[in-house]
């Protein structure tokens, strides 16, 4: 059984209690026994007890109290000056070495993610996020953005980014590993960090940060407190961070309404909010698209039962190929099935609350939508059941582009379910239709990722030149795949708030500074020098 204390100021620190993780597979096999074990252990957390030795029990993490939250922030504040003074090359090397550790411990990381209810295919994708964000190519790009030097008039001119200071990181419970992993580039910027692991799914965060990153920092001679990892309730932790004068930035992941309110609270207190909120990503399929590959990308919508912010949330398909694409999508959607998370063919995760799913589906059908596939709760074996733990992968055809957002809530809003609307525009001349599609994508209140499928260089060029919305555009590619150099997170509008853009954490948690170093220059002459 994995067991993690709080990690504060370079030491393992006792908390005020423990939370236990039981395997996702056990919750599907015998939910009563699994929940009973978890509750019993959290009342009496003896690691030597028979309950703690049960094969369903995967691990435990210490829970933080108010005093320990403040202690972690103060430990980070005490470390940041010394850590920020480490040479940039050394901090970038830390990121490269951490990536090597991820690769060396890949199988253990995947096992933990599967135990935390991530289907194995989704788990591999999440790990890829960290690996690409720390690839040699990406680190090279970060280096180019962090420091540049020039000479002018006998002066040494420097444009550099300086660390903001202490950064709190609040990852979501649906994808804590890739989001808590954003601590690494934030550390590379020279910040000290405090990471709050979600109580319900803490092990993967503790494993990669306490188990892999912390020893590397110790080897480098980083001051104690450079990295701190705690596990606690979200509001409790955020409230303490907002109140603490030493906390400079807070990276917040969550829903858009809550995140935008949190943004205002940060600004009131002079803290920088870095927001990772909801997405409502669109995929556009033009009439000359590679339809089989486009369907593969579209069905990424169902990864983790759609409970991932950057999966496709709606499709716009050219009316000339709509019937063919929808038929292929029907077949692909019906092949998506539930199962145990260690099954290579499984994409769906359990969905506990489904009232919103059925309300959205009902509203779409009443407004004229046509069910393509799915629409029911199902058991582990795929049989329909009102008490099933899974929702079928579901696709709905809606006709008409211009008023699609007004008529269908599932088109306008992030659904966070395996529920995909396919919008078929009215037959329109191609030049007019392309303008309408681009305007539709740009008018999206969210702006995480957008995709296009087309073989036409002219269509691709028009789309890329004119789509302003989103932190990422993908053309003829996996919608959710990660690439070197390009950002893994961030966007515009309701996705990242008023200051939203593609999120390179090493840049977001730092600020530009210009430096001029000269010798023997008369200030009066320099003031007027052209």
């Amino acid at each position: 059984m994995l067991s993690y204390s709080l990690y504060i100021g370079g030491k393992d620190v006792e908390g005020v209690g423990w939370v236990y993780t039981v395997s996702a597979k056990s919750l599907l096999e015998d939910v009563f026994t699994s929940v009973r074990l978890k509750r019993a252990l959290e009342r009496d957390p003896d690691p030597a007890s028979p309950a703690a030795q049960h094969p369903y029990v995967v691990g435990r993490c210490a829970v933080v109290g108010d005093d320990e939250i403040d202690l972690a922030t103060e430990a980070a504040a005490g470390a940041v000056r010394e850590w920020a003074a480490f040479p940039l090359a050394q901090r970038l090397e830390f990121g490269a070495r951490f990536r090597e550790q991820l690769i060396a411990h890949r199988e253990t990381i995947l096992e933990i993610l599967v135990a935390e209810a991530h289907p194995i295919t989704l788990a591999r994708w999440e790990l890829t996020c960290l690996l690409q964000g720390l690839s040699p190519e990406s680190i090279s790009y970060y280096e180019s953005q962090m420091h540049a030097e020039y000479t002018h008039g006998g002066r040494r001119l420097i444009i550099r980014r300086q660390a903001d200071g202490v950064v709190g990181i609040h990852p979501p419970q649906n994808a804590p590993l890739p989001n808590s992993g954003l601590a690494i580039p934030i550390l590379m910027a020279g910040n000290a960090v405090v990471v709050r692991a979600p109580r319900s799914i803490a092990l993967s965060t503790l494993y990669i940060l306490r188990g892999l990153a912390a020893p590397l920092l110790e080897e480098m001679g980083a001051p104690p407190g450079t990295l701190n990892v705690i596990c606690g309730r979200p509001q409790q932790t955020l409230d303490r961070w907002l109140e603490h004068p030493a906390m400079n930035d807070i990276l917040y992941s969550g829903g858009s309404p809550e995140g935008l309110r949190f943004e205002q609270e940060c600004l009131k207190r002079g803290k920088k909010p870095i927001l990772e909120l909801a997405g409502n990503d669109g995929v556009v399929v033009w009439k000359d698209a590679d339809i089989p590959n486009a369907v593969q990308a579209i069905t990424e919508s169902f990864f983790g039962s759609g409970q991932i912010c950057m999966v496709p949330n709606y499709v716009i398909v050219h009316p000339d190929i709509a019937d063919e694409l929808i038929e292929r999508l029907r077949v692909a959607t019906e092949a998506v099935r539930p199962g145990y998370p260690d099954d290579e063919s499984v994409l769906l995760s359990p969905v506990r609350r489904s009232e919103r799913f059925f309300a959205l589906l009902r509203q779409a059908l009443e407004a004229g939508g046509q069910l393509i596939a799915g629409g029911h709760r199902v058991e582990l074996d795929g049989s329909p059941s009102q008490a099933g733990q899974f929702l079928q992968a579901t696709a709905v055809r809606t006709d008409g582009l211009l008023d699609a957002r007004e008529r269908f809530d599932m088109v306008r809003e992030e659904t966070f379910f395996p529920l995909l609307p396919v919008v078929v525009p009215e037959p329109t001349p191609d030049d007019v239709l392309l303008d309408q599609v681009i305007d539709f994508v740009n008018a999206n209140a969210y702006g995480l990722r957008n995709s296009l499928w087309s073989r036409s260089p002219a269509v691709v060029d028009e789309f890329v030149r004119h789509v302003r919305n989103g932190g990422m555009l993908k053309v003829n590619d996996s919608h959710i795949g990660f690439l070197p150099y390009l950002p893994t997170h961030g966007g515009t509008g309701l996705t990242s708030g008023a200051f939203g853009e593609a999120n390179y954490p090493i840049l977001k948690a730092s600020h530009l500074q210009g430096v001029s170093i000269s010798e023997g220059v008369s200030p009066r002459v320099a003031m007027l020098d052209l």
Side-chain angles (χ1 to χ4, degrees):
M1 179 182 70
L2 296 169
S3 181
Y4 290 104
S5 301
L6 308 172
Y7 184 66
I8 299 173
K11 298 178 181 178
D12 294 314
V13 175
E14 290 186 10
V16 297
W18 295 87
V19 288
Y20 279 76
T21 298
V22 295
S23 73
K25 190 171 184 178
S26 75
L27 288 166
L28 295 171
E29 288 178 340
D30 187 349
V31 65
F32 176 77
T33 298
S34 301
V35 171
R36 181 173 55 81
L37 276 170
K38 180 177 171 65
R39 289 175 177 169
L41 285 166
E42 289 172 1
R43 285 194 303 268
D44 181 17
D46 180 359
S49 70
Q53 310 308 313
H54 196 285
Y56 284 175
V57 178
V58 180
R60 67 177 190 165
C61 298
V63 177
V64 73
D66 285 352
D67 290 345
E68 291 80 18
I69 296 172
D70 292 344
L71 183 64
T73 302
E74 288 151 14
V80 71
R81 180 176 180 178
E82 182 181 345
W83 172 242
F86 273 53
L88 174 62
Q90 209 170 346
R91 289 186 267 116
L92 295 176
E93 178 62 20
F94 161 67
R97 291 183 62 194
F98 177 74
R99 185 178 191 270
E100 293 172 358
Q101 288 291 90
L102 292 177
I103 294 170
H105 295 84
R106 178 195 302 263
E107 294 309 313
T108 301
I109 294 168
L110 294 177
E111 287 173 8
I112 294 172
L113 286 172
V114 168
E116 290 181 335
H118 298 246
I120 183 63
T121 301
L122 179 65
R124 290 197 184 98
W125 169 74
E126 291 179 87
L127 183 55
T128 299
C129 174
L130 294 183
L131 295 176
Q132 290 289 29
L134 295 170
S135 67
E137 299 89 344
S138 295
I139 290 177
S140 173
Y141 172 72
Y142 304 154
E143 183 176 23
S144 73
Q145 299 297 301
M146 292 295 289
H147 190 100
E149 294 200 16
Y150 307 90
T151 57
H152 176 77
R155 298 176 181 85
R156 179 184 171 204
L157 304 181
I158 302 169
I159 301 172
R160 65 185 182 184
R161 298 196 71 91
Q162 292 281 62
D164 286 344
V166 177
V167 181
I169 300 175
H170 174 273
Q173 65 179 15
N174 66 307
L177 181 100
N179 287 277
S180 61
L182 299 180
I184 304 305
I186 289 173
L187 286 163
M188 291 160 64
N191 299 287
V193 303
V194 184
V195 182
R196 182 202 72 86
R199 280 175 58 102
S200 60
I201 185 169
L203 283 179
S204 57
T205 295
L206 269 296
Y207 183 81
I208 66 166
L209 295 181
R210 174 64 187 97
L212 304 183
L216 289 177
L217 290 168
E218 291 172 10
E219 286 178 27
M220 291 176 61
T226 301
L227 169 65
N228 306 273
V229 192
I230 59 179
C231 174
R233 299 186 186 281
Q235 199 58 55
Q236 171 197 25
T237 307
L238 292 171
D239 287 346
R240 302 302 296 184
W241 287 352
L242 284 169
E243 292 299 328
H244 203 293
M247 183 63 67
N248 300 106
D249 301 356
I250 303 175
L251 194 163
Y252 175 97
S253 299
S256 291
E258 301 85 358
L260 295 178
R261 286 194 293 270
F262 183 74
E263 178 181 59
Q264 295 304 311
E265 291 300 318
C266 285
L267 296 176
K268 288 177 187 176
R269 293 167 170 81
K271 302 182 189 303
K272 181 193 286 186
I274 306 173
L275 304 181
E276 289 294 337
L277 308 178
N280 189 25
D281 293 10
V283 177
V284 175
V285 186
W286 204 244
K287 67 180 183 180
D288 58 356
D290 179 336
I291 295 177
N293 277 334
V295 169
Q296 279 190 30
I298 290 167
T299 54
E300 292 171 355
S301 173
F302 305 126
F303 271 54
S305 289
Q307 297 176 111
I308 304 292
C309 61
M310 61 183 65
V311 298
N313 259 38
Y314 70 90
V315 177
I316 301 173
V317 56
H318 194 290
D320 288 1
I321 60 164
D323 291 343
E324 180 184 354
L325 180 134
I326 286 171
E327 175 56 23
R328 287 180 178 269
L329 180 61
R330 180 191 64 78
V331 173
T333 301
E334 289 179 347
V336 176
R337 62 180 185 82
Y340 291 115
D342 57 355
D343 186 332
E344 296 280 353
S345 65
V346 167
L347 296 182
L348 298 177
S349 302
V351 178
R352 305 300 176 198
R353 301 190 63 179
S354 57
E355 299 88 348
R356 180 67 175 155
F357 169 88
F358 287 109
L360 288 166
L361 179 58
R362 184 169 55 253
Q363 189 247 11
L365 297 179
E366 290 174 352
Q370 303 166 50
L371 188 65
I372 297 169
H376 300 284
R377 265 203 171 279
V378 292
E379 298 286 356
L380 182 66
D381 62 3
S383 59
S385 166
Q386 291 186 353
Q389 296 192 54
F390 296 87
L391 291 170
Q392 285 181 319
T394 302
V396 178
R397 173 176 178 152
T398 70
D399 286 282
L401 174 67
L402 300 182
D403 63 349
R405 286 200 177 98
E406 289 72 28
R407 293 172 58 208
F408 301 101
D409 291 350
M410 62 165 47
V411 176
R412 184 176 63 254
E413 301 172 4
E414 182 192 47
T415 59
F416 225 60
F417 295 112
L419 178 60
L420 181 69
V422 180
V423 181
V424 182
E426 304 85 346
T428 308
D430 281 353
D431 57 341
V432 176
L433 179 59
L434 184 56
D435 284 344
Q436 291 175 349
V437 168
I438 289 171
D439 288 345
F440 190 91
V441 172
N442 279 332
N444 190 354
Y446 302 83
L448 189 52
R449 294 181 171 213
N450 289 298
S451 286
L452 169 71
W453 283 85
S454 173
R455 291 186 174 97
S456 165
V459 171
V460 171
D461 180 66
E462 194 76 1
F463 188 85
V464 171
R465 281 198 303 128
H466 292 291
V467 172
R468 304 180 308 279
N469 191 21
M472 174 85 83
L473 299 182
K474 304 292 287 289
V475 178
N476 299 327
D477 205 347
S478 162
H479 185 87
I480 65 173
F482 300 105
L483 293 164
Y485 302 111
L486 298 183
T488 59
H489 291 68
T492 54
L494 297 181
T495 292
S496 293
F499 310 101
E501 60 183 356
N503 182 0
Y504 292 93
I506 192 172
L507 306 182
K508 276 285 192 178
S510 59
H511 54 274
L512 277 171
Q513 183 184 67
V515 180
S516 170
I517 302 172
S518 64
E519 289 186 17
V521 174
S522 163
R524 182 61 55 87
V525 172
M527 178 184 67
L528 300 174
D529 183 22
L530 296 178

